[in-house]
Amino acid sequence: MKIVLLGAPGAGKGTQASRITAKYNTLHISTGDIFRANIKAGTEIGKLAKSYMDAGKLVPDEVTCEIVKDRLTWEDARDGYMLDGFPRNLFQAEELDKFADIDLCLNIDVDIDLLMDRICGRWMCTCGESYHVSMLGDSRVCPKCGKPLYQRADDNPETVKARLDTYFSQTAPLVDYYREQGKLVSVTSGAGSPDDVFVQIVKEFDKRDLR
Ligand code: AMP
């Protein structure tokens, strides 16, 4: 299956992506992770991406589309993948349609009032899990694997506000784009736990016999 994962920052895309990957053995391709790896490695792409990411803005389309287009030609992407964080605007969605045949767009719908607190209180682990500070007490190690947790550089109130503005002005219209193509599946991430959201996802995937 070829899936696009859509949702506002803080909707729980990363958390659900790890669960989907574990259950369905899907290749998870996150453009945010690709940019962060480039920043860490000090590449030219990383240097360019950092200035946009720090400002909560989108990295230019030409760069981003080229990275994804290339990544989808790798052998491991032949049978399917889940794109997390791409496309993020109409231009990227239209470009993606030129080089990929997307089966489904999974949209994680979330109450916007929850987002700021969720993101600014978020601690991540390299194993793919993330936790809200309220669940951790004084500990900053991953309850699942024991590695130290970290906060993303762009998970601060100022950048989060810009990321949310970017999401609502540029990415949210993609919900209609995929609905019009008959590919949209929406699940709701309200006050429920990540497990509740995952139950909804599995139900939707099973309905369509996606595995
Ligand atoms: P994420 O990890 O998906 O929240 O992405 C973190 C940041 O990486 C975003 O705020 C953007 O600056 C950049 N980014 C990730 N994916 C894209 C994309 N498809 N287009 C442009 N910029 C992106």
Side-chain angles (χ1 to χ4, degrees), residues 20-36:
I20 293 168
T21 306
K23 181 168 169 71
Y24 296 96
N25 201 20
T26 314
L27 173 69
H28 175 207
I29 300 175
S30 152
T31 39
D33 285 351
I34 293 174
F35 289 133
R36 281 183 286 277

Side-chain angles (χ1 to χ4, degrees), residues 9 13 30-33 35-36 49 52-53 56-61 64 84-88 92 122 152 154 163:
K13 292 194 299 294
S30 152
T31 39
D33 285 351
F35 289 133
R36 281 183 286 277
Y52 291 94
M53 291 169 80
K57 293 187 175 153
L58 296 184
V59 178
D61 289 336
T64 312
D84 167 6
F86 184 92
R88 253 185 157 95
Q92 293 181 6
R122 177 163 76 172
R152 273 174 46 167
D154 56 354
R163 285 162 62 203

Side-chain angles (χ1 to χ4, degrees), residues 93-130:
E94 287 171 351
E95 284 302 298
L96 178 63
D97 281 344
K98 293 180 191 164
F99 56 77
D101 220 348
I102 297 301
D103 298 304
L104 179 138
C105 169
L106 175 63
N107 176 45
I108 306 181
D109 216 0
V110 65
D111 181 350
I112 54 168
D113 295 338
L114 297 173
L115 294 176
M116 191 59 126
D117 174 61
R118 270 206 194 173
I119 310 174
C120 295
R122 177 163 76 172
W123 285 78
M124 327 278 297
C125 181
T126 49
C127 76
E129 286 297 324
S130 67

Side-chain angles (χ1 to χ4, degrees), residues 5 16 23-24 34 36-37 43 46 67 76 89-90 103 120 132 150-153 159 176 185 191-194 206:
L5 187 54
Q16 296 306 327
K23 181 168 169 71
Y24 296 96
I34 293 174
R36 281 183 286 277
T43 67
I67 288 173
D76 62 355
N89 59 26
L90 209 50
D103 298 304
C120 295
H132 192 263
Y150 65 93
Q151 284 193 292
R152 273 174 46 167
T159 310
D176 283 340
V185 170
S193 71
D206 287 352

Side-chain angles (χ1 to χ4, degrees), residues 1-5 81-83 102-106 205:
M1 54 183 165
K2 294 175 180 164
I3 303 173
V4 161
L5 187 54
Y81 43 78
M82 180 173 42
L83 288 172
I102 297 301
D103 298 304
L104 179 138
C105 169
L106 175 63
F205 280 17

